Amino acid sequence: MEKYISIINQRTFLALGIALLAVFVTVQFDFQYDFDLTMISIAIIFPLVFTIRSAFKRREKALEFLSRFRTGLITVDTSIQQNPRLEITDRAEARTQILTLSERLITYLGPEPMSYDEVRSSAGEITAFVAQRQVQFKTSASLKIHNFMRDVYSGAENTAAIKEHRTPTSIRAYCLIFIYLYPVIYSPSLYYRLSSTLNDFDQWVLYFLCLFSTFILISLFNVQEQLENPFDQKGLDDIRLSKFEIREKDLINLEN
């Protein structure tokens, strides 16, 4: 239940407070006018849907890059472990480097991130390991490892880019400002429509409709904010980083 109410925060109460005050002032001073609410859709709904869609695409791309990273790293480990020319100590060293790289990337992406330079350093150690033992690898095996290390680098770098660079801040700020202004514009217009179409209506209908629509808009904005960083493990739709971390049990036995 706690996760389902995670979209409710200080912004929610601020927006509802503004909506409540706007309706109160509208009713108190009998302030109403006829306004085309299509403008609201253009000003708020369109950019809000655009940012939500962009954040969702970033999440899907992150899943793709993490899968590529994990698959590439497991394949590199398999190629190294199945090389009979390597000593068991060398294979164990490579295994340690691979597990360290996986752990560091997941830690970097998580809620308590580390420096990305450490991730790059771990990837460089694996590349250096293969380069230093070039004569112990067949040409085909060496090329295979280098090809899959390209996937490892690509997956890690692209995932890091998604974490560091978000959807345009200006659009999100614009959406938030207009969500706060929405009840101020909407309340008098709704009041006009209700009073002109209904001979007698309860003022609580006006309060309910304005508060409910404001809650929907600010909740959508909060969902988009949570999707902005799909790695912080705070939202319902965050990526489960633990599923992409490589552990000892995921790799072949060193004796093979």
Side-chain angles (χ1 to χ4, degrees):
M1 186 62 182
E2 182 179 351
K3 286 188 175 182
Y4 290 98
I5 62 174
S6 62
I7 60 172
I8 299 176
N9 52 30
Q10 292 180 343
R11 282 191 296 263
T12 305
F13 293 110
L14 177 58
L16 292 179
I18 294 174
L20 192 63
L21 180 61
V23 176
F24 175 79
V25 172
T26 297
V27 173
Q28 191 73 16
F29 294 95
D30 193 26
F31 179 59
Q32 53 183 290
Y33 53 72
D34 188 13
F35 179 74
D36 186 4
L37 296 179
T38 304
M39 293 295 295
I40 298 294
S41 300
I42 298 174
I44 301 177
I45 303 300
F46 177 75
L48 190 57
V49 170
F50 170 78
T51 54
I52 290 176
R53 183 178 299 173
S54 297
F56 182 76
K57 285 182 178 179
R58 291 173 66 255
R59 178 184 179 275
E60 294 303 298
K61 280 293 184 181
L63 287 170
E64 176 186 342
F65 294 135
L66 279 173
S67 299
R68 184 180 301 172
F69 170 84
R70 176 182 166 83
T71 302
L73 206 52
I74 289 177
T75 306
V76 169
D77 177 80
T78 302
S79 299
I80 292 175
Q81 303 305 322
Q82 292 183 338
N83 186 351
R85 300 180 182 181
L86 286 175
E87 298 290 337
I88 188 67
T89 53
D90 289 337
R91 285 185 277 164
E93 179 184 346
R95 169 67 55 83
T96 300
Q97 292 173 350
I98 287 170
L99 293 175
T100 299
L101 173 56
S102 174
E103 180 185 1
R104 285 183 175 178
L105 179 65
I106 298 302
T107 302
Y108 161 75
L109 295 173
E112 298 179 1
M114 64 192 304
S115 172
Y116 187 67
D117 289 338
E118 296 188 43
V119 179
R120 286 175 174 158
S121 175
S122 291
E125 289 175 2
I126 298 173
T127 303
F129 174 90
V130 177
Q132 291 168 2
R133 295 163 178 79
Q134 192 72 36
V135 294
Q136 296 173 277
F137 287 93
K138 293 181 180 179
T139 302
S140 58
S142 179
L143 289 174
K144 179 181 178 181
I145 291 175
H146 283 298
N147 286 336
F148 279 100
M149 278 303 297
R150 187 184 301 115
D151 288 340
V152 171
Y153 277 108
S154 174
E157 293 292 337
N158 282 289
T159 306
I162 290 175
K163 177 180 173 65
E164 298 295 337
H165 303 282
R166 311 295 175 83
T167 53
T169 304
S170 56
I171 296 181
R172 288 187 283 126
Y174 163 87
C175 286
L176 185 59
I177 290 173
F178 271 90
I179 288 173
Y180 287 149
L181 290 176
Y182 163 78
V184 178
I185 301 171
Y186 179 65
S187 299
S189 177
L190 181 61
Y191 189 30
Y192 171 83
R193 291 170 183 269
L194 290 175
S195 60
S196 61
T197 55
L198 300 177
N199 294 327
D200 184 25
F201 76 95
D202 196 327
Q203 293 180 359
W204 290 108
V205 175
L206 179 62
Y207 277 97
F208 172 78
L209 291 176
C210 190
L211 288 171
F212 184 67
S213 56
T214 301
F215 178 77
I216 290 175
L217 290 176
I218 196 65
S219 295
L220 286 173
F221 180 85
N222 290 336
V223 167
Q224 191 276 334
E225 280 287 292
Q226 290 185 351
L227 282 173
E228 271 298 295
N229 185 358
F231 308 112
D232 60 7
Q233 310 302 295
K234 293 180 180 179
L236 279 173
D237 298 306
D238 277 358
I239 295 173
R240 298 178 183 177
L241 294 175
S242 59
K243 300 294 183 180
F244 292 95
E245 184 175 359
I246 300 175
R247 297 180 175 86
E248 188 81 35
K249 64 179 181 179
D250 301 321
L251 304 174
I252 65 170
N253 195 302
L254 280 171
E255 296 178 357
N256 290 345

